[in-house]
Amino acid sequence: MTLTVAFRLGNDAVTRQVTVLVTEGGYLHRAQGRYGRSPRMSNPEPSPAVHLNSIASSRGEHPLARPIANLRQHHTAYTNMGYTRILIPPSVVRLEYDESRPLTLAVSRELFAAFIGAGPTTPQSLEAAITAFRAALGLPPGASTPPLCPARVRSRPGLPRCCAPLRTAPP
């Protein structure tokens, strides 16, 4: 069993739909296509923090930080492209799906079919769904990314050609 947060939007003008979901393992899955037809699957996008040799894992980034940010970006981008009809509202669903299996497009197709079959119809905002997803996994509400490092104070003055424009700028 795996926990997912996902949504499905439609664009009636071009009769297309898109479904985007994030699994608790840190993978973002996306499928899109015409109404009533089999959707075209994108390759699952793993979180950079899942790979042991990535920079994100060495910085202590949580594996769900980027997939959740990408989920928000996809929601905003598709809404701006006219996908305003909510077919399945943003929701958190526990699916009968084993994430330890190798990821293939056939496995992704099973995951989407399970989500569409179990997707609730109660309206909810994307942020409420993400908050519920984090709470179900036992994560703090907004602590998925490490805090930024404070800016360093320069101990010596900069180069003259860099400081000259700063001196002439009005305060």
Side-chain angles (χ1 to χ4, degrees):
M1 302 229 355
T2 188
L3 194 66
T4 62
V5 59
F7 62 85
R8 186 176 217 180
L9 300 175
N11 184 339
D12 292 337
V14 293
T15 64
R16 294 187 64 82
Q17 63 190 0
V18 64
T19 308
V20 183
L21 61 89
V22 172
T23 62
E24 66 182 277
Y27 288 89
L28 181 117
H29 300 264
R30 191 168 34 115
Q32 58 187 354
R34 293 209 171 272
Y35 287 154
R37 293 206 177 160
S38 294
R40 184 176 44 117
M41 304 287 169
S42 298
N43 289 329
E45 300 171 23
S47 172
V50 172
H51 300 295
L52 296 176
N53 58 357
S54 73
I55 294 172
S57 64
S58 65
R59 280 192 281 149
E61 183 176 306
H62 193 277
L64 291 172
R66 292 207 193 166
I68 288 174
N70 289 342
L71 183 75
R72 285 185 181 115
Q73 288 174 351
H74 284 303
H75 190 272
T76 302
Y78 280 107
T79 302
N80 291 340
M81 287 189 291
Y83 288 77
T84 54
R85 184 172 185 193
I86 299 173
L87 301 174
I88 299 176
S91 55
V92 178
V93 180
R94 188 169 298 277
L95 302 175
E96 292 289 332
Y97 173 74
D98 183 19
E99 277 196 286
S100 63
R101 297 186 331 193
L103 287 174
T104 62
L105 291 180
V107 172
S108 286
R109 196 170 300 280
E110 289 176 22
L111 180 66
F112 281 107
F115 170 70
I116 291 166
T121 58
T122 54
Q124 179 174 230
S125 71
L126 182 62
E127 289 306 315
I130 290 171
T131 302
F133 180 66
R134 286 182 172 155
L137 292 175
L139 299 173
S144 61
T145 56
L148 296 175
C149 296
R152 273 187 9 198
V153 177
R154 293 183 65 103
S155 59
R156 58 188 173 121
L159 296 172
R161 67 176 180 261
C162 296
C163 294
L166 295 175
R167 285 192 300 267
T168 59

